[in-house]
Amino acid sequence: MDTTPTPDALLLAAHAGDRDAMVHLLQVHQPSLRRYAQKRCLISDVDDAVQETLLVMSRHLTAVRKLASFSGWMFKIVQRECRRLARTVLKQDPYEEALVDQWMSAHTPDTLRLDMASALESLPPQYLEVVVLRDFEALSIREMAERLSLDPAAVKSRLHRARVMIREYLLA
């Protein structure tokens, strides 16, 4: 007999303040959030969007008045995070929401992935390496510095330059 609580039961328990239910609820929804973010975000922003969404959900779940609206609320957070991260990467004005929407809607998820892959391929090896370590292996700046035998400031500098090059490639 399966004693695993249903998502609705987890949601009710988490809403009532049960921390274990909250953790389990976040674990249950993380794969769905990731899939949604992969369709809405630039590939380098997927992990950040999902992580930020999980944090927002854990902090504000009790503010959700109608539990039936939980799913829509959850995906709206991911969508907002994807937009926020795209504005940061593309250096868009945060108040130009319509411009960001237009840029994102002008690209299908497949073309975004292809454009990002092409942008990554265009990077010189030392810049590609820091992007891969940070965005794909999720290493901290300190861990990257140790692995590359560099000063943390040099790692930050390379990462910044790499992201500027990616932004320029995407906007060209």
Side-chain angles (χ1 to χ4, degrees), residues 62-82:
T62 56
V64 176
R65 290 199 174 106
K66 293 185 180 181
L67 296 179
S69 63
F70 174 74
S71 183
W73 174 71
M74 177 177 74
F75 290 119
K76 192 69 173 172
I77 296 169
V78 176
Q79 183 180 30
R80 187 178 62 236
E81 286 305 314
C82 289

Side-chain angles (χ1 to χ4, degrees), residues 47-101:
D47 290 333
D48 291 338
V50 171
Q51 181 178 5
E52 189 62 30
T53 299
L54 293 172
L55 285 170
V56 169
M57 287 171 57
S58 69
R59 290 182 190 142
H60 300 289
L61 178 65
T62 56
V64 176
R65 290 199 174 106
K66 293 185 180 181
L67 296 179
S69 63
F70 174 74
S71 183
W73 174 71
M74 177 177 74
F75 290 119
K76 192 69 173 172
I77 296 169
V78 176
Q79 183 180 30
R80 187 178 62 236
E81 286 305 314
C82 289
R83 287 179 179 166
R84 183 184 65 77
L85 291 165
R87 285 191 303 262
T88 302
V89 168
L90 300 173
K91 301 288 186 200
Q92 297 281 352
D93 183 349
Y95 299 104
E96 293 291 335
E97 187 77 21
L99 186 60
V100 172
D101 285 342

